[in-house]
C-alpha cells in the first residue's frame, strides 16, 4: 500500500512538472499566415498604390509592423513557399525552381511548420494553393495539416470548372479538392478560399486548442480573371490587363477583410499572430506578367533585382507588437516560420537548423540587425545583400539571356540604377566570395526522391 502511494505521488509530481514545462494551449498564440501570389511591392495603399484601394491590407499593415525591406528567398512560387514552410532556404531541401506538373516536390523528410505545430497540439489547416508537390507524399495532409481545401499545383482558373465527367482523368495539378476528394466549386476561387478560411475560424470558436491557418491565395497570379462586379469598380483604369489585375487584387483584399473580421468576431483577434506576404515580386517582365507594379523597385518575378524578391510584408499581433510600426532592416519570409515556432514554444529539430530567425526580440527593442547577410539564387541569377550593399548577377534588360554583375548601394539607390562595381572591386570580390561560400553550404543535402508509384495513388 505504501509502495503504491509513493508511486502515485511520484506520478502526480512528474505530471505536474511536465505540465509546468510545456506551455498551456491557451497561452500559445494562434497563427494565421496569409500569402498572396505574384503581388507587386507597389500594389497596396501602404506602399503608395493609388489606382487600386486595398483597405484591408492597409489596416493589417497599420495594425502592426510593416517591413519596408521584407524579402522572400524565392523569385518564383514554389521556392518561396517551401522556405516559408520549413524556415530553411529552399536550396537545402530540393526546391530550386517552381514545381512543374508531375515533378518532385519539397523533400518529404524536412519538417514543416505545420508538422511542428501539430505535434505540439495545434489544429492545422491549409486553404488555397499548395505548389509544393502534387504527389501524395507531398500532400498537405501528409505534411502536417489536419485539413486542406484548395489545389496542389501552381495555378488554375478562378471561375468554376465544368462538372467532372464519370471516369474522367483528374488533373491533380489544378483540380480543387477537399482533403483528397475532388470537388466542384461554384464560387470564384479567391472568394472560395476566403469562405473556407472564415468557416475554419468559425468552427474553432470557443476552443482553447491553438490553431495554425495557412491561407495561400493564387491571386493575383495569371490567368487574368476577375468577376464582373469587381471589373465594374475599375472602369477608370484604361489598361485592360491592369483593370483585371485590379479586380483580382480587390477581390483578394475583400476576402482578407472577411477573414480578419471572422477572426475578430470569433474572439481570436488578440491572441493571433497574423502574417502577410506575397510569395514573390510582381511579374512585370518574365514569368506570366499580370500588370502588377513593383514601384520603386527594379525588375520583377523571376529576377534577383529587388522587384523579384522584396514584397509587401506585414505582421500584426495585438498587445505584442506596436501598431503603426515601420521596420526598415532586412527580414525574410523564413523569419516568420522561426518567429511563430518560438511564440508557440517549439524548438526546431537540430537536424534541420533554420535559416530564419525569431523577429520578436528585434521588434521589441533589440537594435541589432536580424541578418547581416542575405542570399538568393534563381536559375543563372544570384544576389547577396549585406547592410546597404547588394551585389547581384541579374538580367540587365527584359530580352537579355545572360545576367550581368552589378553592385548597388540600396541606401541611396533602391531602384538599382547605379552600378558601382567598377569603383569598388574589393567589395565586389568580398561579397562574391561570401555568396560562393554560402552556395556551397546549402548544396550539401541531396534531394529526396519521391517514388513515382506514389503519384496520386492516394488512399
Ligand atoms: Ca508566385
Amino acid at each position: 500500500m505504501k509502495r503504491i502511494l509513493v508511486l502515485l505521488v511520484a506520478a502526480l509530481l512528474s505530471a505536474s512538472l511536465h505540465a509546468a514545462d510545456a506551455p498551456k494551449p491557451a497561452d500559445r498564440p494562434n497563427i494565421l499566415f496569409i500569402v498572396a501570389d505574384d503581388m507587386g511591392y507597389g500594389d497596396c495603399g501602404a506602399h503608395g498604390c493609388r489606382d487600386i484601394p486595398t483597405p484591408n491590407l492597409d489596416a493589417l499593415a497599420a495594425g502592426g509592423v510593416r517591413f519596408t525591406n521584407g524579402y522572400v528567398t524565392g523569385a518564383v512560387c514554389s521556392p518561396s513557399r517551401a522556405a516559408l514552410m520549413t524556415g530553411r532556404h529552399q536550396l537545402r531541401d530540393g526546391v530550386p525552381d517552381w514545381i512543374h506538373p508531375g515533378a518532385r516536390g519539397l523533400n518529404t523528410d524536412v519538417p514543416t511548420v505545420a508538422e511542428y505545430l501539430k505535434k505540439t497540439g495545434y489544429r492545422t489547416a491549409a486553404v488555397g494553393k499548395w505548389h509544393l508537390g502534387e504527389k501524395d507524399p507531398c500532400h498537405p495532409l501528409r505534411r502536417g495539416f489536419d485539413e486542406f481545401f484548395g489545389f496542389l499545383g501552381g495555378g488554375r482558373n478562378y471561375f468554376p470548372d465544368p462538372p467532372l465527367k464519370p471516369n474522367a482523368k483528374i488533373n491533380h495539378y489544378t483540380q480543387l479538392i477537399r482533403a483528397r476528394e475532388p470537388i466542384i466549386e461554384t464560387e470564384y476561387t479567391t472568394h472560395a478560399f476566403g469562405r473556407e478560411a472564415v468557416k475554419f475560424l468559425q468552427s474553432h470558436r470557443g476552443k482553447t486548442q491553438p490553431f495554425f491557418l495557412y491561407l495561400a491565395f493564387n491571386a493575383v497570379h495569371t490567368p487574368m480573371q476577375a468577376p464582373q462586379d469587381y471589373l465594374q469598380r475599375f472602369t477608370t483604369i484604361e489598361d485592360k490587363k491592369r483593370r483585371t489585375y485590379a479586380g483580382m487584387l480587390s477581390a483578394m483584399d475583400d476576402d482578407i477583410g472577411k477573414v480578419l473580421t471572422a477572426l475578430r468576431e470569433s474572439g481570436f483577434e488578440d491572441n493571433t499572430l497574423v502574417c502577410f506576404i506575397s510569395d514573390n515580386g510582381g511579374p512585370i517582365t518574365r514569368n506570366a506578367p499580370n500588370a502588377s507594379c513593383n514601384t520603386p523597385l527594379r525588375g520583377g518575378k523571376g529576377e534577383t533585382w529587388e522587384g523579384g524578391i522584396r514584397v509587401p510584408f506585414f505582421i500584426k499581433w495585438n498587445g505584442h507588437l506596436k501598431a503603426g510600426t515601420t521596420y526598415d532592416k532586412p527580414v525574410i519570409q523564413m523569419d516568420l516560420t522561426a518567429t511563430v515556432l518560438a511564440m508557440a514554444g517549439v524548438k526546431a529539430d537540430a537536424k534541420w537548423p533554420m535559416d530564419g530567425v525569431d523577429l520578436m526580440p528585434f521588434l521589441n527593442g533589440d537594435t541589432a540587425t536580424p541578418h547581416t547577410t542575405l542570399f538568393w539564387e534563381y536559375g543563372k541569377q544570384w544576389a547577396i545583400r549585406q547592410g546597404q550593399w547588394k551585389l547581384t548577377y541579374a538580367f540587365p534588360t527584359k530580352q537579355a539571356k545572360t545576367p550581368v554583375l552589378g553592385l548597388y548601394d540600396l541606401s541611396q539607390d533602391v531602384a538599382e540604377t547605379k552600378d558601382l562595381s567598377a569603383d569598388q572591386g574589393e567589395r565586389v570580390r568580398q561579397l562574391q566570395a561570401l555568396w560562393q561560400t554560402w552556395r556551397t553550404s546549402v548544396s550539401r543535402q541531396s534531394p529526396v526522391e519521391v517514388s513515382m508509384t506514389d503519384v496520386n495513388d492516394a488512399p
Side-chain angles (χ1 to χ4, degrees):
M1 183 69 191
K2 192 176 169 191
R3 184 176 154 75
I4 290 170
L5 201 63
V6 168
L7 283 173
L8 193 65
V9 168
L12 283 171
L13 206 61
S14 157
S16 75
L17 278 175
H18 185 72
D21 286 349
K24 290 177 204 138
D27 294 341
R28 296 184 291 169
N30 302 306
I31 293 148
L32 171 57
F33 276 0
I34 306 175
V35 177
D37 197 352
D38 289 13
M39 177 184 165
Y41 182 83
D43 283 329
C44 54
H47 286 186
C49 180
R50 293 288 165 261
D51 60 343
I52 312 171
T54 53
N56 295 297
L57 277 174
D58 298 347
L60 179 62
V65 183
R66 179 171 70 89
F67 296 87
T68 57
N69 287 251
Y71 288 100
V72 283
T73 51
V76 295
C77 308
S78 305
S80 174
R81 290 163 191 249
L84 179 66
M85 273 296 128
T86 62
R88 296 158 49 83
H89 198 282
Q90 65 274 4
L91 293 180
R92 298 184 192 280
D93 301 309
V95 192
D97 200 351
W98 66 276
I99 295 166
H100 297 236
R104 242 180 22 83
L106 172 65
N107 284 357
T108 49
D109 51 355
V110 58
T112 67
V113 60
E115 285 168 332
Y116 279 124
L117 293 172
K118 182 179 163 70
K119 265 187 202 163
T120 55
Y122 274 71
R123 178 184 172 195
T124 55
V127 174
K129 163 170 163 173
W130 181 237
H131 212 186
L132 295 175
E134 87 254 38
K135 299 174 182 182
D136 200 69
C138 302
H139 191 289
L141 297 188
R142 288 180 67 176
R143 301 312 320 269
F145 288 99
D146 297 319
E147 298 161 49
F148 177 67
F149 177 93
F151 65 101
L152 299 172
R156 54 157 284 122
N157 282 329
Y158 290 83
F159 293 119
D161 295 326
L164 277 172
K165 292 191 180 114
N167 303 321
K169 190 167 163 40
I170 287 172
N171 181 335
H172 292 272
Y173 201 72
T174 58
Q175 177 65 47
L176 281 172
I177 54 178
R178 186 184 300 281
R180 292 187 175 88
E181 288 303 312
I183 54 133
I184 290 297
E185 179 54 56
T186 55
E187 282 196 270
Y188 182 67
T189 49
T190 303
H191 293 333
F193 298 152
R195 176 198 73 213
E196 293 295 321
V198 167
K199 266 169 60 181
F200 173 85
L201 294 170
Q202 290 170 342
S203 74
H204 205 76
R205 198 172 183 151
K207 293 184 179 165
T208 54
Q209 180 188 17
F211 68 77
F212 169 48
L213 174 57
Y214 173 57
L215 172 56
F217 289 101
N218 59 311
V220 279
H221 196 296
T222 54
M224 305 307 293
Q225 296 174 351
Q228 202 56 39
D229 51 334
Y230 281 86
L231 289 172
Q232 289 298 326
R233 293 183 181 182
F234 298 101
T235 50
T236 56
I237 298 179
E238 283 185 18
D239 180 81
K240 186 168 177 256
K241 201 173 206 183
R242 179 74 178 171
R243 187 160 69 240
T244 309
Y245 178 82
M248 294 163 74
L249 179 59
S250 192
M252 181 176 74
D253 187 75
D254 277 357
D255 280 290
I256 290 172
K258 287 177 205 163
V259 171
L260 296 178
T261 299
L263 194 71
R264 186 168 56 249
E265 290 178 352
S266 302
F268 298 128
E269 190 177 35
D270 289 341
N271 194 31
T272 302
L273 178 55
V274 184
C275 308
F276 174 84
I277 57 165
S278 177
D279 68 341
N280 48 256
I284 59 169
T285 50
R286 300 158 190 268
N287 302 72
N290 61 358
S292 52
C293 166
N294 297 316
T295 302
L297 310 176
R298 179 173 180 176
K301 178 184 181 183
E303 298 183 310
T304 52
W305 298 114
E306 292 290 285
I309 54 179
R310 197 192 290 207
V311 294
F313 194 125
F314 318 130
I315 67 176
K316 176 175 180 281
W317 188 14
N318 291 359
H320 297 266
L321 294 170
K322 194 161 167 274
T325 305
T326 303
Y327 190 83
D328 295 323
K329 294 194 176 89
V331 299
I332 199 152
Q333 97 277 28
M334 302 180 293
D335 298 337
L336 299 175
T337 322
T339 303
V340 302
L341 289 186
M343 294 307 99
V346 179
K347 201 168 172 353
D349 187 335
K351 192 181 161 203
W352 306 98
M354 290 203 175
D355 296 303
V357 301
D358 175 11
L359 292 176
M360 292 307 278
F362 301 100
L363 301 175
N364 285 313
D366 185 340
T367 55
T369 184
H371 298 276
T372 52
T373 318
L374 289 173
F375 307 91
W376 294 267
E377 180 187 82
Y378 180 59
K380 295 179 189 171
Q381 306 163 85
W382 55 267
I384 172 171
R385 178 170 177 180
Q386 190 170 63
Q388 76 214 69
W389 298 103
K390 181 175 168 197
L391 184 69
T392 188
Y393 185 64
F395 296 111
T397 63
K398 287 181 191 182
Q399 296 77 25
K401 291 198 165 54
T402 308
V404 296
L405 195 62
L407 177 72
Y408 302 91
D409 177 355
L410 295 178
S411 70
Q412 305 293 320
D413 179 26
V414 75
E416 296 171 291
T417 58
K418 298 184 196 78
D419 173 16
L420 304 172
S421 59
D423 300 330
Q424 303 217 34
E426 186 51 32
R427 193 182 301 282
V428 170
R429 277 186 291 279
Q430 279 174 6
L431 290 173
Q432 189 159 8
L434 264 179
W435 182 84
Q436 193 57 57
T437 303
W438 167 82
R439 185 63 187 82
T440 307
S441 78
V442 292
S443 352
R444 269 176 280 167
Q445 204 169 312
S446 58
V448 172
E449 281 303 329
V450 174
S451 162
M452 287 303 286
T453 57
D454 283 329
V455 178
N456 305 317
D457 290 339

